[in-house]
Amino acid sequence: DIVMTQTPSSQAVSAGEKVTMSCKSSQSLLYNENKKNYLAWYQQKPGQSPKLLIYWASTRESGVPDRFIGSGSGTDFTLTISSVQAEDLAVYYCQQYYNFPLTFGSGTKLEIK
Amino acid sequence: QVQLKESGPGLVQPSQTLSLTCTVSGFSLTSYDVHWVRQPPGKGLEWMGGIWGDGSTAYNSALKSRLSISRDTSKSQVFLKMNSLQTEDTAIYFCTRNSGGYYSWFAYWGQGTLVTVSS
């Protein structure tokens, strides 16, 4: 199974600040045939279902604000929120869809100071 | 628009079988996959398994011996059955739809249904 490791487990930032969170996979998620990274990011607000933010490691889902930026390749990935808003309070999960079983990271909880 | 809604018993006794239904709308089950993902209270997400548009299935090996996913395309419903439930199976169970393709992300999620395993 591909193990997804997210760090930090939680972080607190003030509104307007930039925040980055890391996701590392135990094997490469880059498929050489199409040069795509099989990684997605989700946001889960308290009491809600997860919401898709990013797929192919860096493609923003329609309607997702452009302050959410996905980057990285291979085994190292980053989700950046360029200017955190109060409504970004949530847990953020990465997920690989390169291989079965599909696996998620343990999440990064974002708290707003 | 695409919608998924889970339904089932909120409480199941230990050693019993869990049966959940995911009723979908806005798309055809023969064109997209539907998967089940669960989340123990306060914890992370676990992919359980899925059923593809062609009716084939895949399961998380950790659950495979206890889990079955099936569907009724005429009713736009996907079913989850898991036997020998234990307290650690207490979780919110979500059904999700992927975006298309065999290897894909989860584009749509149901609201989830909380299942508590307790006597």
Side-chain angles (χ1 to χ4, degrees):
Chain A
D1 297 5
I2 298 177
V3 177
M4 307 298 291
T5 302
Q6 286 189 249
T7 56
S9 57
S10 66
Q11 63 184 119
V13 299
S14 299
E17 287 187 359
K18 174 182 175 181
V19 65
T20 61
M21 57 192 77
S22 170
C23 173
K24 295 184 187 293
S25 57
S26 61
Q27 67 182 76
S28 177
L29 304 183
L30 177 63
Y31 186 49
N32 286 325
E33 298 290 325
N34 58 13
K35 303 301 182 190
K36 289 183 180 289
N37 287 280
Y38 284 53
L39 182 104
W41 287 95
Y42 302 87
Q43 174 194 63
Q44 187 176 32
K45 295 183 177 180
Q48 296 186 16
S49 309
K51 171 190 173 184
L52 176 68
L53 294 177
I54 304 278
Y55 56 93
W56 295 135
S58 61
T59 302
R60 208 175 294 117
E61 171 73 333
S62 175
V64 173
D66 59 9
R67 65 180 181 272
F68 292 92
I69 303 162
S71 62
S73 184
T75 61
D76 292 339
F77 301 91
T78 300
L79 177 67
T80 300
I81 308 175
S82 59
S83 178
V84 170
Q85 306 299 304
E87 62 262 30
D88 298 337
L89 166 73
V91 179
Y92 294 85
Y93 294 97
C94 60
Q95 177 236 331
Q96 64 82 19
Y97 48 98
Y98 184 90
N99 213 348
F100 290 94
L102 307 177
T103 49
F104 293 86
S106 56
T108 291
K109 184 176 184 179
L110 181 64
E111 298 171 316
I112 311 299
K113 291 179 184 175
Chain B
Q1 70 276 27
V2 173
Q3 292 186 324
L4 304 95
K5 186 172 184 179
E6 307 86 351
S7 59
L11 180 65
V12 179
Q13 293 195 338
S15 80
Q16 296 302 301
T17 296
L18 171 65
S19 295
L20 297 177
T21 299
C22 176
T23 302
V24 309
S25 60
F27 68 97
S28 170
L29 291 177
T30 59
S31 298
Y32 291 93
D33 320 335
V34 171
H35 297 251
W36 290 92
V37 173
R38 69 177 181 177
Q39 183 174 39
K43 296 189 177 181
L45 301 163
E46 178 186 32
W47 175 75
M48 301 179 72
I51 185 163
W52 270 254
D54 63 1
S56 60
T57 55
Y59 301 105
N60 190 322
S61 57
L63 301 171
K64 188 173 183 178
S65 63
R66 302 195 287 141
L67 183 62
S68 174
I69 298 174
S70 60
R71 70 183 185 181
D72 184 336
T73 56
S74 67
K75 294 183 178 179
S76 294
Q77 292 180 324
V78 175
F79 309 106
L80 175 148
K81 288 191 189 302
M82 189 163 70
N83 58 31
S84 304
L85 254 63
Q86 301 302 319
T87 55
E88 52 265 34
D89 294 312
T90 293
I92 299 171
Y93 287 74
F94 297 99
C95 59
T96 77
R97 198 207 85 176
N98 75 342
S99 67
Y102 192 77
Y103 295 95
S104 178
W105 52 93
F106 299 125
Y108 300 92
W109 295 70
Q111 63 191 22
T113 186
L114 174 62
V115 175
T116 301
V117 181
S118 175
S119 54

